[in-house]
Amino acid sequence: MTTTRHRVAARMIAALGALSLLAACSGNGGGGGSGGDASNYPDQNITFVVPFSAGGPTDTVTRLIAEPMAAKLGGKIVVQNVEGAGGTVGAGEVSRAEPDGYTVLMHHIGMSTAPALYKSLGFKPLEDFEMVGLVTEVPMTVVARKDFAPATFQDLVNHVKANASKVTLANAGIGAASHLCGLLFQTAAGVKLQEVPYAGTGPALTDLVGGQVDFMCDQTTNTSGQIAAGKVKAYAVTTPERVKSLPDLPTTAEAGLPQLQVSVWHGLYVPAGTPDEIVQKLSEALKVALADQAVIDQMAKLGTAPVPAEDATPQAHRAKLEEQLGTWAKVIADAGVKVS
């Protein structure tokens, strides 16, 4: 009898011990560390992944906001460049990262064009990410080698229509902002040009300045310095209003091609499943960074500006992405562009 009681008691103690262990594991995410604990976030370095090369416009914008965001969060942000396949390599890595707020993606308009461009993408923008907030919308400029014959934007349109087989249109690679703007230009002008893709904006602009290609469409963050130095000929900006840092450049609408309107918007993403509290902490830090006067001043030099505070939110970001996915799906389908 006594032996039986001892056996029952032993079994009860063992069972209680197992339940305690299970509860402990459940409380810390199955032993996965403290990453998902919003109250302690951040307690380690945060990695901002830029899916493009260092020194490019997306990289520049990321580094501008990283320091003030880190100061607000009370941690450290490390910027990592994971380039390849029009930004899809880096984006794919972030989509598969632990959803703990320590891996954050900065991406541009390419997030909304990738599903239409790539047959095998590996991630779904609306399903595999949580949106943190929009960052900035960068205007684009139509620029050419400085000895290119057309004097005005309307002259350029007329010239490329008359010389379509001879004119070369450069871009920074399939899916790059310059490629997308070039597609819109050709659609709006009703012409098909010889496109010359490069492995990034730097090489494309270098050849444009050197006179190896005729013209291209690219972000003010890339072209403002070249325009100011007189190394390229500038024709127009692709926004509804003129850009303050380039006041003499007409808009494409003023210059006679209102269908060509595009800006390169940037936003921050984290993997789907990241706790809401962590997403909100990142969003609040983003708002603080975008209100920082040093960030505002530096963006102004690049021909852009931070988005309003109400757009630096998950809700506004998701609405923008949804709208842009639909817009670019049609443009890319009409252009017949597809990447395997």
Side-chain angles (χ1 to χ4, degrees):
M1 188 78 167
T2 303
T3 303
T4 301
R5 287 197 191 100
H6 287 168
R7 286 174 180 166
V8 171
R11 289 192 188 111
M12 290 178 67
I13 291 169
L16 287 171
L19 286 172
S20 298
L21 179 60
L22 179 60
C25 289
S26 299
N28 66 13
S34 61
D37 185 357
S39 63
N40 294 326
Y41 178 82
D43 62 4
Q44 62 190 67
N45 289 349
I46 301 170
T47 298
F48 273 20
V49 174
V50 176
F52 305 102
S53 60
T58 304
D59 181 72
T60 299
V61 170
T62 305
R63 293 176 191 276
L64 277 180
I65 66 169
E67 186 174 341
M69 281 189 69
K72 170 62 177 175
L73 291 165
K76 182 179 179 181
I77 292 174
V78 178
V79 178
Q80 180 182 3
N81 298 91
V82 184
E83 56 190 289
T88 62
V89 173
E93 286 193 10
V94 174
S95 74
R96 296 183 293 273
E98 190 71 24
D100 54 11
Y102 290 101
T103 306
V104 180
L105 173 70
M106 170 74 91
H107 208 333
H108 64 25
I109 191 173
M111 184 66 98
S112 62
T113 62
L117 279 172
Y118 292 87
K119 294 177 181 177
S120 302
L121 187 56
F123 63 85
K124 297 179 180 179
L126 291 173
E127 297 177 22
D128 294 333
F129 295 93
E130 306 288 352
M131 288 86 228
V132 174
L134 297 170
V135 178
T136 185
E137 290 208 31
V138 182
M140 302 199 78
T141 51
V142 180
V143 294
R145 54 183 171 86
K146 62 182 180 180
D147 59 348
F148 200 37
T152 67
F153 183 73
Q154 191 56 58
D155 290 341
L156 172 68
V157 174
N158 294 336
H159 180 82
V160 299
K161 285 183 176 180
N163 301 276
S165 63
K166 301 176 183 177
V167 175
T168 51
L169 172 63
N171 65 55
I174 301 298
S178 53
H179 173 237
L180 301 171
C181 187
L183 289 180
L184 276 182
F185 176 89
Q186 292 175 84
T187 299
V191 65
K192 180 64 178 174
L193 303 173
Q194 295 185 67
E195 296 184 68
V196 183
Y198 286 83
T201 298
L205 269 175
T206 296
D207 273 11
L208 186 72
V209 171
Q212 277 75 48
V213 286
D214 294 324
F215 82 112
M216 70 182 295
C217 179
D218 206 7
Q219 302 174 62
T220 54
T221 44
N222 291 326
T223 61
S224 291
Q226 305 288 359
I227 293 170
K231 293 183 178 180
V232 295
K233 180 182 287 188
Y235 290 107
V237 292
T238 63
T239 45
E241 298 178 355
R242 293 197 180 197
V243 176
K244 290 182 180 179
S245 61
L246 300 166
D248 296 331
L249 277 189
T251 67
T252 48
E254 290 174 330
L257 203 65
Q259 305 96 315
L260 179 58
Q261 288 196 13
V262 59
S263 58
V264 183
W265 55 274
H266 293 74
L268 291 178
Y269 303 78
V270 289
T274 301
D276 290 342
E277 297 87 347
I278 290 178
V279 175
Q280 287 303 319
K281 281 190 175 184
L282 286 166
S283 182
E284 290 304 316
L286 173 61
K287 291 176 187 175
V288 169
L290 297 181
D292 186 284
Q293 192 59 50
V295 172
I296 295 170
D297 292 344
Q298 286 300 313
M299 283 193 179
K301 291 179 181 179
L302 297 171
T304 187
V307 299
E310 59 267 25
D311 288 341
T313 63
Q315 297 78 15
H317 188 175
R318 179 169 288 274
K320 178 76 170 182
L321 179 57
E322 289 175 344
E323 179 267 324
Q324 288 279 284
L325 282 165
T327 297
W328 285 104
K330 184 179 186 309
V331 170
I332 292 167
D334 290 348
V337 179
K338 205 75 176 178
V339 183
S340 58

